[in-house]
Amino acid sequence: MRLSRRHPRYRSLVVRARLARSLESGLIVPEGLIAQGRGEAFDYLLGERTSPSARRAERVAAEWLLAARRPVVSVNGNVAALAAKEVARVARALPRIRVEVNLFHRTPARARAVARTLSRVGVREVLGVRPTATIPGLPSDRALVDRRGIFVADVCLVPLEDGDRTEALRARGQTVISVDLNPLSRTSRAADLPIVDEVARALGHIADDLERLGQPGERGRRRPFDREAALSAALDTIYRELKRAAARPRSARRRR
Ligand code: ATP
Ligand code: MG
């Protein structure tokens, strides 16, 4: 099907078409489409743009990653389908960061598909295709990680992660930066630094900041981040958007 650029939901339709192709190619699973649906709904409520609070969180995330000794970015099928280029930009801007495949519904073929997608856009080394360690406290294959990556990371950037795994990483004393459009998800609530933004936008902004900030300067020193305030700000944004929509007369309520 050809998508018209004039369609008011053009961008969202493009993303949906891309995910549908990713389902066919085996990069993502049907559950991934449902997760995207939940994400889209929250993005809609947030005004489909990066809020000032999310942008601040992204800047602090870049600083934390720069200050980390062993930073890791975890990539699942949806992240590879939606933001592989942005992951590659993050990896180029911070060569120390390890990129690791991390799948909720793991099969060797899918792990390879994620790695292939990343290497096509220039990521040199992808960990986690053949896991070598397990995170305690998680059921079997969801615990699988790479001994050189997430297992030993001090700071984990986990876009679209599951709440259980976020909590398991936190329980091991690892610092978690999440990217999740749902400010109410367990992931957002458990993360040390929850970024409530769409994954390609968030990773793109983090890459911008890493490129701008350059070399690791103050390693070890970490600017504090008020996670509760960030989550409240996201809920406030939703509240304001809803109030604005409710106040508008019916005729003006058409989609942008
Ligand atoms: P949790 O396990 O953290 O409680 P959940 O069970 O509600 O969350 P999951 O399926 O585990 O949801 O994780 C998917 C999460 O990713 C959802 O919270 C959804 O809002 C978010 N999400 C989906 N698509 C995107 C996207 N494109 N950008 C950012 N976040 C997204
Ligand atoms: Mg979940």
Side-chain angles (χ1 to χ4, degrees):
M1 187 186 69
R2 273 183 64 88
L3 300 171
S4 161
R5 282 186 176 277
R6 293 210 303 277
H7 192 286
R9 311 293 311 159
Y10 176 73
R11 269 196 308 180
S12 150
L13 294 176
V14 168
V15 168
R16 287 181 182 186
R18 188 194 291 189
L19 285 175
R21 284 196 303 277
S22 302
L23 182 68
E24 276 165 28
S25 74
L27 182 62
I28 71 166
V29 287
E31 289 83 349
L33 295 181
I34 299 169
Q36 171 69 11
R38 182 175 294 160
E40 271 191 358
F42 277 99
D43 205 19
Y44 200 108
L45 294 173
L46 287 158
E48 293 176 313
R49 58 183 174 266
T50 303
S51 68
S53 156
R55 190 64 191 89
R56 280 196 295 278
E58 288 155 0
R59 202 163 303 128
V60 176
E63 290 176 12
W64 283 18
L65 290 168
L66 274 170
R69 235 176 243 288
R70 283 192 285 267
V72 170
V73 54
S74 142
V75 182
N76 63 21
N78 280 40
V79 175
L82 296 171
K85 284 194 185 124
E86 287 76 10
V87 171
R89 280 187 61 211
V90 166
R92 259 198 308 279
L94 184 64
R96 202 155 25 88
I97 201 168
R98 315 302 303 261
V99 180
E100 175 162 343
V101 180
N102 184 24
L103 300 174
F104 193 92
H105 303 277
R106 178 181 275 277
T107 64
R110 220 156 75 73
R112 285 196 300 274
V114 171
R116 219 170 24 244
T117 305
L118 291 170
S119 66
R120 254 189 235 130
V121 291
V123 178
R124 284 220 209 98
E125 194 185 9
V126 180
L127 304 180
V129 176
R130 275 179 293 276
T132 46
T134 56
I135 300 286
L138 286 173
S140 57
D141 62 335
R142 286 173 43 205
L144 298 173
V145 289
D146 196 300
R147 189 181 304 139
R148 299 160 297 165
I150 291 175
F151 194 67
V152 290
D154 52 350
V155 178
C156 301
L157 171 59
V158 294
L160 281 53
E161 184 54 281
D162 168 58
D164 270 9
R165 282 204 298 219
T166 307
E167 282 163 8
L169 296 176
R170 290 278 290 109
R172 297 180 79 224
Q174 294 174 286
T175 297
V176 176
I177 303 171
S178 66
V179 179
D180 188 327
L181 278 159
N182 179 1
L184 300 168
S185 75
R186 282 175 310 144
T187 300
S188 293
R189 292 153 76 107
D192 298 274
L193 201 170
I195 297 172
V196 182
D197 198 4
E198 196 279 325
V199 63
R201 291 200 304 261
L203 295 182
H205 290 148
I206 292 173
D208 291 343
D209 293 339
L210 288 170
E211 286 161 9
R212 195 171 37 77
L213 291 167
Q215 295 311 304
E218 307 168 51
R219 208 180 270 192
R221 280 190 33 209
R222 200 184 272 170
R223 182 144 65 112
F225 182 81
D226 189 342
R227 37 189 306 284
E228 301 294 339
L231 295 176
S232 296
L235 292 170
D236 269 346
T237 304
I238 292 175
Y239 180 63
R240 271 200 315 274
E241 290 283 322
L242 287 174
K243 254 187 27 185
R244 201 161 54 202
R248 256 184 279 158
R250 225 169 205 304
S251 58
R253 242 184 258 170
R254 262 187 244 123
R255 290 166 178 172
R256 278 162 299 150

